[in-house]
Amino acid sequence: MSHDPAPSSARPLRAGFDPRDEAPQYVLPLVVRIERDAPPARTDALETAARAVLVLLSDERAHGDGEWAEAVRNWEDARIRKVVRRARGAEWRRAEALPGITLTGKSAEVRVFPPIPLDGWPKDLAKLQVSGTELDDPEPPATADPARPVLWLNPDLEMSAGKAMAQAGHGAQLAWWALSDTERLTWREAGFPLAVRTATPTAWPRLTTAGLPLVRDAGYTEIAPGSCTVVADHPALRPAGV
């Protein structure tokens, strides 16, 4: 299976003016299911969102003449914005009726949709709440397996669950772009295993200077422009000694 390479203009989210801001702006919508009596665990929601982005990027409909391909190209030619909204009950059922892909984790359900114009949200998604999504981990996450990809969060930043889900998705996408076709296929066939963990204050400086894909946030919400939010530590991209 072949994949379109990342466009040369595609870069991590950055602060300040970028020539790509002149292009029509698209956004990748993700919806997380949060029922009152059974909210997902935070880390599982982050990991499921990251995998959802990868599943969409690898889907045949997102490439070549696929039905989502033009929207994906328009999105990748501008800033790779992602917005996470939350739904429950009838809201979730309406979201599931729209074209997209649902990923299920241990406790989380996340639906990812093909990119849409920034001002063109379908009404059933536009009315969903976006801010203040808070989730907790019932137990501390297990130590990440170093043989698997890890998306390391900046330990110095506080982000809502929705914001962190979007940032984890950015990190997964940058790793995807950096891999060869063979490495992508191997990852996909394994089911996109990955972990999302918060780096230790000691490890974070080393991770950010190791040459791994690094997400810098544009600063639209919650955190300052240019903040480093995620390091994508995929074994295939990992320099010796990291």
Side-chain angles (χ1 to χ4, degrees):
M1 186 177 82
S2 63
H3 298 276
D4 297 334
S8 59
S9 60
R11 297 291 184 269
L13 303 189
R14 295 182 294 185
F17 174 77
D18 189 292
R20 292 176 292 126
D21 292 336
E22 300 293 329
Q25 297 296 297
Y26 278 67
V27 61
L28 186 79
L30 297 108
V31 174
V32 56
R33 183 178 184 179
I34 304 181
E35 301 291 347
R36 282 196 180 97
D37 58 348
R42 179 185 175 97
T43 296
D44 190 42
L46 269 59
E47 293 172 350
T48 304
R51 284 196 300 271
V53 171
L54 293 166
V55 168
L56 182 132
L57 289 172
S58 65
D59 194 284
E60 295 292 352
R61 289 168 288 184
H63 299 278
D65 296 326
E67 60 186 289
W68 299 343
E70 183 177 1
V72 170
R73 286 192 293 268
N74 288 337
W75 171 58
E76 290 183 333
D77 281 344
R79 295 181 183 266
I80 55 169
R81 293 183 180 181
K82 299 175 182 69
V83 172
V84 177
R85 296 177 184 249
R86 62 184 186 271
R88 63 173 181 262
E91 296 172 331
W92 175 257
R93 291 190 291 274
R94 286 192 292 269
E96 280 210 301
L98 298 173
I101 305 169
T102 297
L103 266 288
T104 301
K106 294 177 182 178
S107 62
E109 288 183 77
V110 176
R111 189 163 180 84
V112 61
F113 303 86
I116 57 174
L118 195 58
D119 58 356
W121 284 77
K123 64 179 183 179
D124 284 330
L125 299 184
K127 60 188 178 183
L128 298 177
Q129 290 185 324
V130 62
S131 62
T133 299
E134 292 301 337
L135 298 169
D136 295 314
D137 282 314
E139 300 177 358
T143 302
D145 183 350
R148 291 190 170 193
V150 183
L151 304 173
W152 294 106
L153 302 177
N154 186 335
D156 298 323
L157 295 178
E158 292 187 8
M159 295 183 280
S160 68
K163 179 71 172 182
M165 289 169 69
Q167 297 301 304
H170 294 331
Q173 183 168 1
L174 295 187
W176 177 258
W177 280 348
L179 294 171
S180 68
D181 281 354
T182 299
E183 291 162 342
R184 291 177 179 180
L185 183 59
T186 298
W187 200 12
R188 180 186 181 185
E189 289 182 340
F192 292 121
L194 57 83
V196 178
R197 297 290 187 272
T198 299
T200 65
T202 301
W204 182 249
R206 173 175 54 81
L207 288 165
T208 58
T209 56
L212 294 163
L214 175 65
V215 178
R216 291 185 181 274
D217 191 65
Y220 296 120
T221 60
E222 296 192 24
I223 58 179
S227 298
C228 299
T229 57
V230 179
V231 173
D233 181 14
H234 191 291
L237 305 174
R238 191 179 298 157
V242 175

